[in-house]
Amino acid sequence: MSGQPHASDAARPRAGTRVAGRYRLEHEIGRGGMGVVWYAVDEVLERPVAVKQVTIPPSIAPREAEVLRERVVREARAAGRVRHDSAVTVYDVVDEDGTPYLVMEMLDARSLAQLVRDDGPLTPRETARVGLAVLGALEAAHAVGVVHRDVKPGNVLVADDGRVMLTDFGIASSQGDPTITATGLLLGSPAYIPPERARGTAGGPSSDIWSLAATLWTAVEGRPAYDGDGPVAILTAVVEGRRHEPVRGGALAPVLVDVLDADADSRPSVPALRTALERVAETASDDVPDVTPVTAQPGQREQTQVLAALSGAPKPTRPKQRPPSPHVRRRRIALAAVVAAGVAAGIAGWQLGGSGGSSIPLTTFHAQNGWTVGVPDGWVPAGFPDKSWREPGSFSTYVQIQVGEGANAKQSLTNLALGKPTKVGGFRQLSLTGDADQATLEWLEDTTSGAQLHLRDTYTEAGGKTYAFVEVAGAKDWAAAQKTFSAIRKSFRTS
């Protein structure tokens, strides 16, 4: 980590900028965590195109940023092989001044996310028809060895004439190649990341199908199946299978529930899913119940099956067991909205927050790469096994520890803060203190569920390593959590 902005962060093209000497950027048409989409003109072929500027999060080391850029370019080229009427065509991919750009087909359409926001949830029949189109695009991608990895409402486009398109293969991967997650990033939107990827595995075609079901859930229910106060809380809900109960899905609900199985091997096959969606699209009533949504409690699971949707009769099912958290895999995962460093080894003898005693009962956790920390008795692993823990009964109070290559602590946090206003809604910086060796950034952040989080990110640079200690709690719970947070900080030591 160098403490200097990556080229992709520094390069902020304006209207009129030409990419690769031929794509003239006209105006922004979208912005998200992985980049900015421009309306542009291909001056060679004289046609409109969509150009996505892929942003590299400022929170990762320059060496890893370079690896990520190379993989984005390679994997986007692989995605360009996908040919299907419901897959947005990737025309070109270029790397200019360290910034990857994807050049794609321009469509006059709204995203499924915008459609639901503007017009409300779709009917089960409409949702099933959208699902069939996207399923076809995914089948075409999988047939040429490409896994999309970012199926979500924002990447499904619906034109006024009813045409449905799957777009943004920008973080797709080719089977057999190293994936972008090897650099330490878990890319995608938390509510649509399948459990296997949340646990750190690369995922495969079945993961795309899970994300499709999560996307269709939002379309028909009007909100995601999984939510929480912040990205880690959402990922925890996904891993634990803790989701809302369906209230508007009608005949589509049992289909989606079955596909959202935490066990990839237990999900229905693509032909079975297609048959179920076709049945709903052809026969389902457009009437939906006018009821208040009910949030599922931990452990609750709908136990209907796709076969029940096909036959019209319930099928006996085995109880769904909550998947155990893995204990051996240690993936370096960073969410730009929460933390900013990757995982590596520690330095000898360093300790965060002093050596005072604590009245909080702690159990010492020994990390494989040498550091130790006291975990409060009763706390459970959060979304990132073996480096994050949360308070029982709370999905917003947690701590996370990450280690990366050394740099300037204050400059790193300054870069993180500078990137947040354009990437995270509701970001409000409270303080940034410290120096090059140790610094702390504290901020408030609004969540999609309407709650507000209070976060504190402490970086210490020593011995060529970066130690990131992240503390998160709901804003209303922040004061009460300080005693516990202090005890955890004081217990942290490196080998």
Side-chain angles (χ1 to χ4, degrees):
M1 217 163 20
S2 69
Q4 298 298 321
H6 299 314
S8 58
D9 304 304
R12 299 184 182 277
R14 300 177 180 178
T17 299
R18 284 175 174 78
V19 175
R22 64 182 287 183
Y23 305 112
R24 187 180 72 250
L25 306 183
E26 296 287 335
H27 57 267
E28 287 188 22
I29 57 177
R31 178 180 288 267
M34 275 299 292
V36 180
V37 181
W38 291 80
Y39 178 94
V41 175
D42 181 345
E43 295 182 325
V44 174
L45 297 180
E46 297 183 343
R47 66 178 176 183
V49 293
V51 174
K52 180 173 181 177
Q53 173 197 0
V54 180
T55 57
I56 306 299
S59 55
I60 62 175
R63 176 176 54 81
E64 293 193 339
E66 182 60 31
V67 172
L68 177 56
R69 275 189 285 269
E70 292 174 358
R71 285 175 176 161
V72 167
V73 171
R74 185 182 69 246
E75 293 168 359
R77 284 174 177 152
R81 302 198 308 269
V82 179
R83 294 290 183 268
H84 190 271
D85 289 343
S86 291
V88 173
T89 303
V90 178
Y91 293 138
D92 195 3
V93 56
V94 296
D95 189 330
E96 186 163 293
D97 297 326
T99 299
Y101 292 86
L102 279 66
V103 183
M104 300 173 288
E105 176 184 5
M106 172 61 71
L107 293 173
D108 185 10
R110 288 184 291 173
S111 72
L112 187 59
Q114 184 179 359
L115 190 66
V116 172
R117 278 197 308 269
D118 294 347
D119 302 340
L122 278 61
T123 67
R125 181 183 298 179
E126 292 170 333
T127 305
R129 290 171 178 167
V130 169
L132 285 167
V134 177
L135 184 63
L138 289 175
E139 285 186 280
H142 297 164
V144 294
V146 173
V147 180
H148 189 283
R149 298 199 306 168
D150 199 21
V151 180
K152 61 184 180 182
N155 285 338
V156 176
L157 302 181
V158 182
D160 291 340
D161 61 4
R163 185 184 181 200
V164 177
M165 302 285 287
L166 177 63
T167 186
D168 205 349
F169 283 81
I171 64 171
S173 67
S174 295
Q175 293 178 9
D177 284 345
T179 65
I180 292 178
T181 52
T183 70
L185 285 170
L186 181 63
L187 300 178
S189 298
Y192 307 99
I193 294 175
E196 57 271 23
R197 285 193 56 221
R199 296 189 195 104
T201 62
S206 178
S207 301
D208 278 350
I209 302 305
W210 188 99
S211 297
L212 171 60
T215 295
L216 299 181
W217 183 292
T218 297
V220 74
E221 297 289 338
R223 66 174 181 177
Y226 306 89
D227 63 20
D229 292 334
V232 172
I234 296 172
L235 286 173
T236 301
V238 169
V239 170
E240 295 182 349
R242 182 175 36 79
R243 54 159 177 75
H244 296 295
E245 292 301 315
V247 295
R248 296 178 50 89
L252 184 61
V255 180
L256 302 183
V257 166
D258 207 47
V259 181
L260 292 175
D261 198 305
D263 180 4
D265 293 334
S266 298
R267 295 168 196 159
S269 66
V270 168
L273 176 57
R274 185 189 306 108
T275 301
L277 290 175
E278 288 173 346
R279 181 181 179 89
V280 175
E282 294 168 0
T283 65
S285 169
D286 282 340
D287 295 331
V288 294
D290 184 15
V291 296
T292 301
V294 177
T295 302
Q297 298 300 315
Q300 283 184 327
R301 290 296 301 253
E302 188 86 27
Q303 294 189 359
T304 49
Q305 302 284 328
V306 164
L307 291 179
L310 297 178
S311 65
K315 176 192 173 189
T317 60
R318 67 187 187 281
K320 307 272 184 145
Q321 299 296 323
R322 184 175 301 174
S325 298
H327 295 288
V328 290
R329 177 176 292 275
R330 287 164 172 83
R331 286 290 240 181
R332 294 183 291 170
I333 303 175
L335 294 173
V338 181
V339 291
V343 173
I347 64 165
W350 183 76
Q351 171 183 353
L352 176 66
S355 58
S358 169
S359 61
I360 305 293
L362 301 174
T363 299
T364 300
F365 171 81
H366 297 268
Q368 189 178 43
N369 55 4
W371 55 266
T372 63
V373 70
V375 178
D377 289 354
W379 278 43
V380 296
F384 306 145
D386 295 347
K387 62 182 177 182
S388 63
W389 296 266
R390 62 174 173 82
E391 183 181 25
S394 170
F395 296 96
S396 60
T397 301
Y398 62 90
V399 297
Q400 182 171 336
I401 299 168
Q402 296 198 340
V403 188
E405 295 183 6
N408 182 308
K410 192 167 186 179
Q411 185 61 56
S412 296
L413 287 179
T414 299
N415 293 342
L416 175 63
L418 288 174
K420 278 187 169 295
T422 60
K423 294 181 181 178
V424 181
F427 168 80
R428 180 160 68 89
Q429 182 174 321
L430 299 179
S431 64
L432 175 58
T433 59
D435 53 29
D437 293 328
Q438 180 165 319
T440 298
L441 173 66
E442 197 164 327
W443 73 94
L444 295 175
E445 185 176 307
D446 296 332
T447 69
T448 56
S449 65
Q452 188 176 61
L453 293 180
H454 193 140
L455 302 94
R456 181 164 57 212
D457 209 340
T458 301
Y459 274 21
T460 293
E461 310 291 350
K465 299 297 178 183
T466 302
Y467 294 84
F469 195 93
V470 185
E471 300 157 282
V472 185
K476 65 182 187 326
D477 301 321
W478 181 256
Q482 293 313 297
K483 184 177 181 180
T484 303
F485 285 160
S486 177
I488 299 172
R489 279 200 312 274
K490 290 177 180 179
S491 72
F492 179 74
R493 288 173 174 78
T494 62
S495 59

